[in-house]
Amino acid sequence: MTLINPSQPDYLTIVEKQLQLTEAQGVAIRGLWDGMKQMELNVTEKVEEVQMMVQEVRDSVTLTDAECYQLQHAVRIRSNTLTKDRYTETDGKFNETVGKYRRMIWSKLKDRFSVAKYSHIRRIDFDDAVDFVQDFRPEDYI
């Protein structure tokens, strides 16, 4: 039989209080952890949402002035090449034919990208537009 001395601390009570404190800390840490995980999920969702919005904006932005100039240059080159393949520069129809091909390329380019003005072509379609011009064959549309 062990006698409890009233002057000595009650060790079981101290250990029990310490255990309760540790459990309370565990609950607090678990709550903090769960909150952090939820915040991470929310941030990830927001980042994905922002990335989608940025992509939508990128996809809807139209050609820059520099890209318009490059496209104009490609059309000039292609219309001249098409004409040279069919006529000599001394032929009286050369300039007329260059203009005819140029108008045809612009018209078919706008049809291909469903725009009223070539400058309304989306930037993401720029390379496709240049390829279209460079590969343009009037025979495909006659």
Side-chain angles (χ1 to χ4, degrees):
M1 176 169 161
T2 307
L3 296 174
I4 298 178
N5 184 342
S7 64
Q8 288 183 342
D10 184 1
Y11 290 106
L12 291 178
T13 305
I14 293 172
V15 169
E16 184 177 7
K17 285 183 181 179
Q18 187 60 43
L19 183 58
Q20 289 171 351
L21 257 170
T22 302
E23 287 172 347
Q25 287 174 341
V27 168
I29 290 172
R30 171 56 65 190
L32 182 61
W33 174 255
D34 291 343
M36 289 170 55
K37 291 297 276 180
Q38 187 59 47
M39 281 177 32
E40 180 184 26
L41 290 174
N42 291 344
V43 168
T44 301
E45 287 175 11
K46 292 298 179 190
V47 166
E48 289 172 358
E49 194 175 309
V50 168
Q51 286 173 335
M52 288 185 342
M53 290 169 57
V54 166
Q55 190 61 45
E56 285 177 27
V57 169
R58 277 191 190 136
D59 291 351
S60 67
V61 172
T62 57
L63 299 180
T64 64
D65 287 344
E67 290 166 333
C68 285
Y69 179 79
Q70 290 174 15
L71 199 54
Q72 291 169 355
H73 180 73
V75 169
R76 278 193 306 274
I77 297 296
R78 186 63 182 154
S79 61
N80 286 338
T81 302
L82 287 169
T83 305
K84 286 178 184 176
D85 289 347
R86 291 160 176 80
Y87 297 96
T88 62
E89 291 187 40
T90 57
D91 191 346
K93 289 190 169 197
F94 187 83
N95 287 336
E96 179 184 329
T97 306
V98 168
K100 176 182 163 189
Y101 285 141
R102 206 167 278 175
R103 286 187 301 278
M104 182 184 268
I105 293 170
W106 285 124
S107 175
K108 299 307 177 189
L109 180 68
K110 290 184 287 186
D111 288 348
R112 164 70 174 78
F113 291 98
S114 302
V115 293
K117 297 179 178 181
Y118 77 92
S119 60
H120 292 168
I121 293 172
R122 300 177 313 163
R123 289 194 71 204
I124 61 170
D125 294 329
F126 174 69
D127 290 334
D128 290 340
V130 170
D131 290 344
F132 177 87
V133 170
Q134 290 174 341
D135 297 338
F136 184 81
R137 293 177 18 163
E139 296 81 18
D140 295 339
Y141 300 98
I142 296 176

